Amino acid sequence: MASASSLRFVMGALAALGLLAGCGRTVAEPVTLADLQGRSLQFTLTDIDSLERDSSVGAYRFTLAFSNESCAQLASGVTATLNGQPMKLNPGGVPDTGVGGREVCEPPSATFDFDPAQWDAEPTEDLRIILQDDTHPVLLVLQDAKAKRRFLRTSPGTAGTLRRGQTHTYVWLPETDTLAAPAQATLIHKASGAVAALTVDPEGNAAHFLVPSGTVEGQYILRLSGTAAPQVLACEGVAGCTGGLFHSEDLEISVTN
């Protein structure tokens, strides 16, 4: 008969083995595009004109990612392009950071950093994203999504000035976009950093907002933001495609009587 000490040793060893198994590295299954055709694609176009951001890295970016039902890593040989230009491909899986801690599996994804000045100068056109390997093609086409977004002031008044107690209007451009929800407007006092959200009355792509009469006069940043829902002209080779076009813009303004 085994002694009590030996039983404790065996049980401790089994517990240790279980603990080691639980803490082992997450295994990313190598997959082809054909293996991922049952998953969906999520996309985001980010277009941020910020006066407070130190770096513009990632401020003008299109991101495409597969849904993350299970940990998977793209096999070699996959290419990704946006309107014929190469995208930066992240095969996904568990990144080898060389440090301990909880592991997070990243889904396969691709990004493209665009030049906002170039997109502003060029005509609006569809965004056409193609992923392919030897097994399967994936196609996503977004109508008129290749465009620089902005808010245009259409209400009367002096440029760079908002009057207290008056309603002001800014319109999201391009007009081919359709906002998925009302735009947001925020006043940030440049000296104190105090933030005040403004109530927006939406009308299509237009944002009407009243500057309260009690607003302190001074220099502010007016931050306008919104998300447009593009029309998906093609979504082929996957189960579905969803996403939005996000734009945020900072304007230096004066609040006066």
Side-chain angles (χ1 to χ4, degrees), residues 63-80:
T63 303
L64 184 75
F66 285 88
S67 55
N68 203 16
E69 284 87 350
S70 61
C71 193
Q73 183 172 356
L74 280 175
S76 60
V78 178
T79 61

Side-chain angles (χ1 to χ4, degrees), residues 15 29 52 66 70 86 126 129 133-134 153 167 172 177 182 185 217 240:
E29 178 187 359
E52 298 180 333
F66 285 88
S70 61
D126 299 343
I129 299 93
D133 60 10
D134 293 337
R153 178 171 173 167
T167 297
W172 171 293
D177 284 351
E217 293 186 50

